[in-house]
Every structure is written in structure tokens, then in C-alpha cells.
Amino acid sequence: MHADALPVLEAAPEGRPNLLGLTRPALAILLDRIGVGRTHALRVFRGLHALRLPLDAIPDLGRHAAVIAAHTRRPPMRIAEARQSPDGTEKLVFALADGARVEGVLIPMKGDRVTLCVSSQVGCAMACRFCATGTMGLTRGLDAGEIVAQVHAATARVAAAGGRLRNIVFMGMGEPLHHYPATRDAVRILRDDGGPCFKARHITVSTVGVVPKMRQFARDFGGRVQLALSLHAGTDATREAIIPLAKRYGMEALRRACLDHPLPGSRKLMIEYVVLPGVNDGPDEIDALAAWCRDLPCLVNLIPFNPFAGAPYRAPTADEVLRVATQLRARKVPHSVRWPRGRSVAGACGQLALESTG
Ligand code: SAH
């Protein structure tokens, strides 16, 4: 059927899309265009994303499998390295088809549940001073299929160990909102109930604060997918000293975007705050942070700075972290502490820089 539609896409093999990065509607359009027909979209999508099968193993696809393969790419992605930390956290190195490598982290939660931290870019352009990935610069963004492929590889690995991958956090390498279309499509695919079927509230996109894209993200997902903002300061002066992008989007613009962010039910914004001793942990800074948080349904997540070679800061002591928590409590700001996990395998926040693999 529709065999006459075939040559159209064959003329442009360079533009072949990554099959794993097509949302279900995009896949349906492609299947129509190449003469397979959109009636097969759900079966193909389910085969790729729920059963994680190669095209030619998808049931009842017959000769269509070869046609789809001819019009798409399916770049291989494998786990090149896995390093287990004594606390159960596992750092994964994903090898992409062009030889680029990105990192992910598997973090065991309660029961058999596991959280995966995925990467959205090879390196990062944001150059935050406290982040190891920021020292690498940006090589390229991942396409949606490369983001989804990390989840598929991790899903298989976790299942083989008897666990269940339940949460996805975009907190690996890269700035997901600097690379928004791929992030958006990946989230759409991951949420699709014909495929991986992750719950929106179990997906968290973390951003350094690309304000226009935060607003776009709110429009696209209506606040159902969790947003985390890496704030890390209470004042513009401090924020600008540690995050170059802060000069572009100041505290007030961030606060307005957060106030406008839809939060269904009892949902809260996550505000990440890396504790840098002597930099952002003084009473004036925390006063300003508390004022910034006023009237905003949010949870401030304190992250003790994880040091890396050449870092211009030192790690806070547990006391120094608790002192910030005490200041927040006194100011009635809801907060929690993310005690570091995976430090011994350089898989903790901000330590992802591929030091072992080059
Ligand atoms: N680009 C996204 C994702 C980054 S990683 C963002 O900025 O949110 C996820 C979190 O780890 C961010 O809050 C980031 O600021 C934090 N982080 C980066 N380097 C860190 C370090 N060395 N120690 C602790 N947390 C760090």
C-alpha cells in the first residue's frame, strides 16, 4: 500500500531521523509518508519503547520492518562502563554511535525502585563554576532518541538486577533547556502510555534557569512534569559570581517565571541549592533566598558541594550544611538535604566529566 510514496524519503538519506527519537504522532506521520501507514504506529512504538525490541523482532510487522529501517536511523548505544559505589549508586558511561560518551547514574530508592539520572548533552555550555561538566565545554546536544536510549539501556540493566526503573531526572551532563526540542520530545516519548509509560511526576527536568524555555516547558507540560531550578544563591551578585547565565536571567525574572509556573495539586517546584562554604551560606544570602521563596510553593534541596579536581571551592562539612538547613527552618522555608551518593565513583552531582574514559 502507498508504495508510490517510498521514493520521496529515499532521496534524502542524510536526513533520516533517529527512530527512537520520534514521538508517536511523528512516527505516525513518517509511517504514512513511507507507505507503511499510520495504523502501524502504535505497534511499532510499543515494540520499540515498551518491549525494547529491534525493528525486525516487532511482531506482525513483516516486510514493513525493512521499509522503516531504510528510512530511519537506529544508532547503537551501549553501556561502555559501569562503576558501583559502596552506597549502591552506579555510574554508567554510555557510548554513542559517533564515539561520544555521556554519563548516567542509577540511584536505588525505597524497595526495588531506581532513579536514573540522564544526560541531555555531551558536555555543557553553561560553565557554572562549581560543576565539573561545565569545565568541558559543549561538544553537541543529544537527539531525543539518544536520551531515550539511555533510559532503555538502564531499564534493561535495572530489570536484570530485579529492580524497577521508576524515576528519570535530567540531571546528568548538559543543560536540558539549552537543548529544548530534544528534551521535550524525549519527555513526550518517556511519558507515552503506549511506550515507556513513566508518570509525569516521576520525570524531573533540572535547569540552570533558561527563563523563556522554562515558560515553554510550562506551556508544553502544564506543570505535570516536575521542574527543578538550580538557584544556588539568594542574590544576583552571588549568583552571577558562580553561574554565567545569571547575568542574562536575574533573580527577579526567575522568580516571576516560577510564580507563573503551573503547579497542579500539591505539587512544588524543586529549588536546588549547592552549598558552597563562604560563598552562598551566610545569613544575608539565606535571608535573600527566603524572601525569594516567599509565596512560592517550593522545596529547597540543599546539595553539599561535591568537589572535583581543580574546583575553586571546598566541600562543606556536615555541620556547615546543617547550619544552612537551620537558617531555612528559622525562616520557615521547606527544605531537605541531598546527602551525596556515588562520590567514590565520581557519580555525584556535578562530578560527571568522564575523567576515566577520556
Ligand atoms: N544543567 C542542569 C542539570 C545539572 S546537574 C541544571 O543546572 O540544573 C544537576 C544538579 O547538580 C544541578 O542543580 C547542579 O547545579 C548540581 N551540581 C553541579 N555541580 C555540582 C557539584 N560539584 N556539587 C554538587 N552539586 C552540583
Side-chain angles (χ1 to χ4, degrees), residues 76-82 90-106 116-119 122 140 142 146-155 157 165 172-173 352 354 357:
M77 215 223 32
R78 62 188 178 88
I79 297 176
E81 207 183 311
E90 191 171 37
K91 169 158 137 173
L92 307 176
V93 177
F94 297 105
L96 307 174
D98 65 353
R101 289 174 171 225
V102 292
E103 298 184 344
V105 187
L106 288 173
L116 170 68
C117 177
V118 289
S119 292
V122 182
R140 68 174 177 90
L142 302 189
E146 290 173 315
I147 297 174
V148 170
Q150 294 172 64
V151 177
H152 286 347
T155 300
R157 187 175 184 84
L165 189 59
M173 297 170 123
L352 304 183
L354 295 168
T357 48

Side-chain angles (χ1 to χ4, degrees), residues 136-346:
M136 301 171 63
L138 177 68
T139 303
R140 68 174 177 90
L142 302 189
D143 65 33
E146 290 173 315
I147 297 174
V148 170
Q150 294 172 64
V151 177
H152 286 347
T155 300
R157 187 175 184 84
V158 169
R164 197 161 54 85
L165 189 59
R166 195 184 69 151
N167 296 282
I168 305 294
V169 297
F170 285 69
M171 296 186 185
M173 297 170 123
E175 165 49 47
L177 297 192
H178 179 221
H179 191 50
Y180 185 62
T183 297
R184 180 197 56 212
D185 286 355
V187 171
R188 286 186 173 149
I189 292 165
L190 294 174
R191 285 187 63 196
D192 194 310
D193 57 11
C197 201
F198 285 92
K199 292 214 162 59
R201 65 172 181 279
H202 293 159
I203 302 175
T204 301
V205 172
S206 179
T207 179
V208 69
V210 188
V211 167
K213 295 299 187 298
M214 288 167 69
R215 293 185 178 280
Q216 183 67 48
F217 179 77
R219 282 195 292 277
D220 288 338
F221 295 105
R224 284 180 294 276
V225 175
Q226 189 73 41
L227 182 66
L229 172 63
S230 295
L231 194 62
H232 307 325
T235 61
D236 278 315
T238 302
R239 198 160 192 271
E240 285 173 18
I242 58 180
I243 300 174
L245 192 75
K247 296 191 181 74
R248 185 116 135 239
Y249 305 112
M251 295 294 290
E252 196 42 47
L254 287 173
R255 184 172 146 79
R256 273 202 310 273
C258 289
L259 284 169
D260 291 344
H261 193 77
L263 289 168
S266 56
R267 211 65 80 73
K268 288 178 173 177
L269 275 176
M270 194 205 285
I271 303 297
E272 292 161 286
Y273 201 94
V274 173
V275 178
L276 301 166
V279 176
N280 66 357
D281 60 346
D284 292 349
E285 197 71 29
I286 304 303
D287 267 340
L289 172 65
W292 188 93
C293 290
R294 198 162 299 137
D295 303 325
L296 200 65
C298 66
L299 176 74
V300 175
N301 196 212
L302 298 175
I303 313 172
F305 170 64
N306 287 309
F308 52 91
Y313 310 106
R314 70 166 171 85
T317 63
D319 267 359
E320 284 171 322
V321 176
L322 292 173
R323 225 172 289 150
V324 176
T326 305
Q327 296 183 64
L328 289 173
R329 189 171 316 120
R331 292 162 178 81
K332 299 196 167 47
V333 179
H335 59 279
S336 59
V337 180
R338 190 192 298 169
W339 295 109
R341 303 178 69 179
R343 251 190 203 171
S344 66
V345 291

